[in-house]
Amino acid sequence: MSLSHRPIGQGLIHSTFRRFLDSETSAGMLLMIVALLAIVTANSPLASVYFATLHLSIGPMSLQHWINDALMALFFLLVGLEIKREVLDGQLSSWSRRILPGAAAVGGMVVPALIYGAFNQGDFTAAHGWAIPTATDIAFALGVLSLAGPRVPVTLKVFLAALAIIDDLGAVVIIALFYASDMNYWALGGAAVAFFTLIAMNRAGVSRLAPYLVLGAALWGLVFLSGIHATIAGVLLALTIPLKLTRGTPGAPHAVSPLHRLEHSLQVPVAFLIVPLFGFANAGVSLVDVTLDSLSEPVTLGVGLGLAAGKLIGVLGAVVLTVRAGFAKLPGAASGPQMLGIALLCGIGFTMSLFVGQLAFEDPAIQDRAKLGILIGSSVSGVAGYLVLRFSSRRTGIPI
């Protein structure tokens, strides 16, 4: 998967990253509105219509499954493209840039999983949801971050985006390894053939997107049949899209790449259609039967505290240890209190947490407990993170 470091290409990459930050911020604001709308709808006279529509059969799957298994494959395709671009020629292209967000991402996944496990260790079924609080929703987090205004340095926005990208990579690996159903090895073998064919196309210098997308659709079908969650096909396809920068036509001499073209094409529909649709289809939880006892359910507590407390402890703790050990420095112009605010925002786990919750549990009642924990933990993290960032200064506070 070749790569060019020409200045014109670097400019394209940097502008793409800025567009990514801008689009994710706007998408995060939309996602907040959609999540609230889903909750209101699920607790209104339209609740029966809402749930019946989601379970409407369309061919071999329900509408909700088409959204979660098919449309979300495009979300994971975009995630994979972002991961590949940032690792090969972006904010994560060197070890010096990876150390701090990488350590923070690992800490932010391990501690929430341990907290969840502590609350659910006696229940094998509930324990299967250990990965739910390990995810960070980059769109939601950047949306809240934007509310704090220009007082937050751009370096912290880049740090949060890099951390969330590594976090997404961890979530993809977890889904592939721990949330596969009964395996169909013939389909898995066919998926492997399709994947290695895509790699061969990359190595052969094929730069047209159409062949990759056609074979990628076949890869999705084979992965779907294999027992591995079909959205993983999106990530696998992304890894094979060429990042080699090629010279444009005489009338459009700018450097382009298949990866950048596809990423640019996907950003708007994924951020403003697919993810909000997923959020609306999955965030709706009935609050009619919610009591103090239901709030103290192990699954709800494990998810809620895993996000609100586990992410804070894991991310901030990893940052403090890494900085004090001399392996990395805080992002430029950032203070300790601002890093505290960023660690709190990492507890917003909306999209990916809801997705993992759907994979972890088949029982709708347990899914609702997990959703409740996600909504509470994400809300607490978002409000607390915003307040800390809103009233902190980049010049004051005890340095880490």
Side-chain angles (χ1 to χ4, degrees):
M1 301 176 188
S2 55
L3 178 65
S4 172
H5 294 278
R6 288 176 294 192
I8 190 169
Q10 287 286 351
L12 177 62
I13 289 167
H14 292 156
S15 64
T16 298
F17 193 74
R18 285 305 179 93
R19 287 198 304 271
F20 163 77
L21 289 176
D22 292 340
S23 66
E24 290 291 333
T25 298
S26 302
M29 304 299 291
L30 175 61
L31 199 51
M32 295 180 202
I33 298 172
V34 168
L36 181 60
L37 182 60
I39 296 171
V40 170
T41 304
N43 293 275
S44 73
L46 296 174
S48 59
V49 176
Y50 170 78
F51 290 111
T53 302
L54 291 177
H55 292 94
L56 182 67
S57 294
I58 303 176
M61 297 189 294
S62 68
L63 175 60
Q64 186 173 31
H65 279 110
W66 277 111
I67 294 171
N68 293 354
D69 290 11
L71 288 183
M72 284 298 283
L74 296 177
F75 166 77
F76 277 85
L77 172 58
L78 180 59
V79 167
L81 293 172
E82 290 166 352
I83 291 172
K84 178 176 178 177
R85 170 175 51 76
E86 292 304 320
V87 169
L88 293 184
D89 204 6
Q91 298 300 320
L92 302 173
S93 59
S94 65
W95 282 108
S96 61
R97 292 180 174 183
R98 297 170 190 161
I99 289 175
L100 192 62
V106 171
M109 297 181 79
V110 171
V111 177
L114 291 175
I115 289 177
Y116 182 90
F119 281 97
N120 294 276
Q121 58 183 327
D123 187 335
F124 177 79
T125 300
H128 197 51
W130 63 270
I132 297 173
T134 64
T136 294
D137 190 312
I138 184 172
F140 226 133
L142 286 173
V144 176
L145 184 61
S146 69
L147 298 177
R151 70 185 67 247
V152 180
V154 174
T155 53
L156 274 182
K157 296 179 182 179
V158 173
F159 169 79
L160 178 59
L163 186 161
I165 287 170
I166 298 174
D167 191 284
D168 282 344
L169 177 60
V172 168
V173 172
I174 287 171
I175 291 170
L177 294 180
F178 298 100
Y179 292 102
S181 56
D182 294 335
M183 302 295 289
N184 180 330
Y185 291 100
W186 287 104
L188 187 63
V193 171
F195 179 58
F196 285 113
T197 302
L198 286 163
I199 293 176
M201 288 165 53
N202 178 292
R203 296 295 186 184
V206 176
S207 60
R208 292 180 62 237
L209 280 172
Y212 290 96
L213 297 180
V214 171
L215 194 52
L219 176 65
W220 178 88
L222 290 165
V223 172
F224 177 80
L225 294 173
S226 72
I228 299 175
H229 200 272
T231 51
I232 297 300
V235 179
L236 295 176
L237 173 60
L239 297 178
T240 68
I241 303 296
L243 184 58
K244 180 179 180 180
L245 299 176
T246 57
R247 187 65 59 182
T249 63
H254 297 294
V256 294
S257 81
L259 187 146
H260 283 91
R261 294 201 307 271
L262 183 56
E263 183 180 10
H264 181 72
S265 299
L266 287 173
Q267 277 181 344
V268 170
V270 168
F272 295 98
L273 178 61
I274 293 174
V275 171
L277 185 59
F278 170 83
F280 183 74
N282 292 275
V285 55
S286 176
L287 302 178
V288 174
D289 297 323
V290 173
T291 63
L292 291 177
D293 289 337
S294 61
L295 294 177
S296 62
E297 289 280 349
V299 170
T300 305
L301 278 176
V303 173
L305 289 176
L307 287 171
K311 280 288 188 179
L312 171 62
I313 296 170
V315 171
L316 190 61
V319 168
V320 170
L321 291 175
T322 305
V323 170
R324 289 190 174 178
F327 295 123
K329 297 180 180 179
L330 282 181
S335 67
Q338 287 180 328
M339 185 58 72
L340 170 64
I342 293 296
L344 284 165
L345 291 188
C346 289
I348 303 175
F350 191 75
T351 304
M352 197 68 81
S353 292
L354 286 173
F355 189 83
V356 174
Q358 293 290 327
L359 299 180
F361 304 124
E362 294 182 1
D363 186 343
I366 304 180
Q367 287 181 359
D368 282 349
R369 291 177 211 160
K371 288 180 183 179
L372 189 60
I374 292 168
L375 294 173
I376 294 173
S378 296
S379 298
V380 170
S381 297
V383 172
Y386 165 75
L387 292 175
V388 170
L389 291 169
R390 176 67 178 80
F391 296 105
S392 65
S393 167
R394 67 178 71 184
R395 296 186 180 89
T396 62
I398 302 173
I400 291 176

